[in-house]
Amino acid sequence: MAIHNENETTPAGSVSIRKMTLEDIPDIMIIEHESFTLPWSEEAFRNELTMNHFAKYLVMELDGKPVAYAGMWTIVDEAHITNIAVRTAHRGQGLGEALLLQLIQLAMEYRIERMTLEVRESNLVAQALYRKLGFEPAGIRKAYYSDNQEDAVIMWCELPEQLVWEEEGSEEIDE
């Protein structure tokens, strides 16, 4: 699996992205509770990392501390993005976009052809990011969110054979 975990220096600091481990769960729970009104439990993440062979999760570190994570389930030629979250203090710095791009790259390395996700109808910031990266609305899940019965927008993205934002001549890294 080619996770690009070399450090990149940004205006926000030194950023790296790597595969999530069980040791990350306490930090992930902080991000989860800051980000969602219906956060997943520690047990849910533990099961995702140890029992769900379809699950792939990434952690983004800023100056060595986890500040964001994203996950997906890969099934045959499709990926379902389960979560993407950035700590409140680090939002608006392009970190979520960078993490989502890495998740898309990882999906493509698994020969995934399309990706889907659900997003709250009211989360226009997230919807704008997803549209920017090629996701298009495809339907509504009525009363999807149990905390307030809000609808979810279902979005899909057809993945290209290679990322258009990759530099020409870049080499794929073997697992």
Side-chain angles (χ1 to χ4, degrees), residues 3 22 46 58 63 86 88 90 98 119 122 126-127 136 139 173:
I3 306 277
L22 291 171
R46 193 171 293 105
L58 301 177
D63 297 328
V86 178
T88 305
H90 300 286
V119 58
S122 64
Q127 288 180 46
E136 294 294 333
I173 299 171

Side-chain angles (χ1 to χ4, degrees), residues 4 30 51 66 70 74 77 85 87 91 96-97 100 122 140-142 153 163 168 172-173:
H4 305 286
I30 293 169
M51 304 295 285
T74 56
D77 61 353
R87 293 223 40 194
R91 293 181 188 160
E97 180 176 350
L100 184 54
S122 64
I140 299 288
R141 293 198 198 282
K142 291 288 186 189
V153 177
L163 295 177
E168 283 189 37
E172 184 174 328
I173 299 171

Side-chain angles (χ1 to χ4, degrees), residues 33-168:
H33 282 272
E34 281 186 8
S35 301
F36 301 111
T37 56
L38 296 169
W40 282 17
S41 66
E42 288 186 27
E43 182 179 355
F45 281 102
R46 193 171 293 105
N47 287 337
E48 285 290 284
L49 295 175
T50 61
M51 304 295 285
N52 185 347
H53 300 291
F54 302 110
K56 315 287 186 256
Y57 284 84
L58 301 177
V59 172
M60 174 181 275
E61 292 182 328
L62 180 61
D63 297 328
K65 296 182 181 181
V67 296
Y69 79 93
M72 66 181 168
W73 297 330
T74 56
I75 304 168
V76 188
D77 61 353
E78 294 181 357
H80 184 129
I81 297 175
T82 56
N83 319 57
I84 183 163
V86 178
R87 293 223 40 194
T88 305
H90 300 286
R91 293 181 188 160
Q93 300 172 20
L95 300 178
E97 180 176 350
L99 185 57
L100 184 54
L101 285 171
Q102 186 65 52
L103 196 66
I104 292 168
Q105 175 66 45
L106 181 60
M108 291 173 60
E109 290 169 10
Y110 280 96
R111 306 288 189 246
I112 298 299
E113 296 177 9
R114 66 194 62 78
M115 296 182 88
T116 188
L117 56 82
E118 293 92 7
V119 58
R120 284 183 185 267
E121 199 168 46
S122 64
N123 192 345
L124 301 179
V125 171
Q127 288 180 46
L129 171 61
Y130 303 143
R131 278 191 177 97
K132 177 180 178 181
L133 297 181
F135 287 83
E136 294 294 333
I140 299 288
R141 293 198 198 282
K142 291 288 186 189
Y144 182 76
Y145 295 98
S146 61
D147 62 330
N148 64 359
Q149 304 307 304
E150 184 174 358
D151 294 345
V153 177
I154 304 164
M155 300 183 84
W156 281 90
C157 178
E158 297 292 324
L159 298 180
E161 287 187 25
Q162 69 177 22
L163 295 177
V164 294
W165 51 86
E166 283 185 323
E167 294 179 353
E168 283 189 37

